[in-house]
Amino acid sequence: MTDQWTVQRSGRATRVASTGLVAFGIALFAVPFLFRTDVVQQLTTLCTLIIMAVMWNVLAGYGGLVSVGQQAFIGFGAYGTVFLAQRDVHPYLAVVLASIASAVLAVALAPLLLRLRGGQFAVGTWVVAEALALLIALDEDLGGGTGVSLRGLNAFAPDWRRAYTYWLTLAFTLLLLLLVFLLLRRRSGAAIQAIRDDEEAAASLGVRVGPLKFVLFVLAGFGCGAAGALTLANTLFIQPQSIFGVQWSAYMLFMVLVGGIGTYEGPILGAVLFFLLQDWFAQFGAWYLIGLGAVAIAFALFLPRGLWSLADDRLPFRLLPVGYSLRPAR
């Protein structure tokens, strides 16, 4: 490179910062011993939002697969947990198994949906979500349209139940963040972004487009299924129209766009901001969604690269680098 610019991925400062973040993530397991149970429950909600944002970002922000139907996996994970718990599977084991079942569902749907592109893919995922919601609503064993509770967790004392749910949610969050980091850090990360930018050009250069899109789709299905199952464990009650609602896609889109689409750290920051705005706007009733929409429009107009760009442009090093960047030489 020239004397003014250099290509970087990471350095000593990055390694120190990354180690600090890993230590912070591990330290979060002590939260139930330090804070009230309502704080623990709120942090559980925040972790599920982070999972959703990161999964939608890896699918759309990195892979170019814009989905408005990820609520299909959110709802499937939640109702899969209920289905297994009704058959005497331990509720927390049911959460894990339902998350894996969501990945299996993604494997089954991939040959059909991944044939679609652009708007067709988005509509296709939405149709799948609506079809699953209709099937669940017709199943009386799963509560039909009135909803169902996860009664198995009532065997735990409320404080311990919230603690166990938080620990499981945090473990899923850290696992999925690690999987996404490793996927994007390898050569597959550059290949995935090449598919996003121009699928035909990427294929002509030898990129294995089909397998990589399949991996992204299944990973996002697994993560969103886990988020749905953990949401149920946190709230103990679900209804088809809410857990399969298209509002989940709107929330994911908001978090990713506000935080910074196509960045590793952006969706995490966007999830934190959405969590805070959700709590603040909720007091305004019907103006809740209007307020969120106004914030999203403001970011699209005045900060299209998201909040993370403000920090990324000013930091002398990359915090959690998954690719290379052009930086001024010191």
Side-chain angles (χ1 to χ4, degrees), residues 12 33 48 51 83 111 119 135 175 201 205 217 220 241 253 268 301 304 318:
R12 179 179 298 177
F33 301 112
T48 58
I51 291 174
F83 177 84
L135 291 174
L175 172 63
L205 293 174
F217 189 71
Q241 61 266 33
L253 180 64
I268 301 174
L301 291 175
R318 303 295 299 275

Side-chain angles (χ1 to χ4, degrees), residues 21 23 41 50 62 76 83-84 86 88 109 137 145 147 180 186 195 210 232 273 286 294 303 318:
L21 288 176
Q41 191 168 26
I50 290 175
Y62 281 102
F76 187 84
F83 177 84
L84 292 170
Q86 288 176 344
D88 298 326
L109 293 175
V180 171
R186 299 168 63 87
I195 294 172
L232 169 63
L273 178 63
L303 198 63
R318 303 295 299 275

Side-chain angles (χ1 to χ4, degrees), residues 187-199:
R187 292 176 59 185
S188 56
I192 289 168
Q193 293 177 73
I195 294 172
R196 174 197 63 192
D197 295 336
D198 193 321
E199 187 171 320

Side-chain angles (χ1 to χ4, degrees), residues 34-46:
L34 302 175
F35 296 95
R36 302 190 312 271
T37 55
D38 60 325
V39 175
V40 174
Q41 191 168 26
Q42 289 176 346
L43 289 178
T44 303
T45 300
L46 175 58

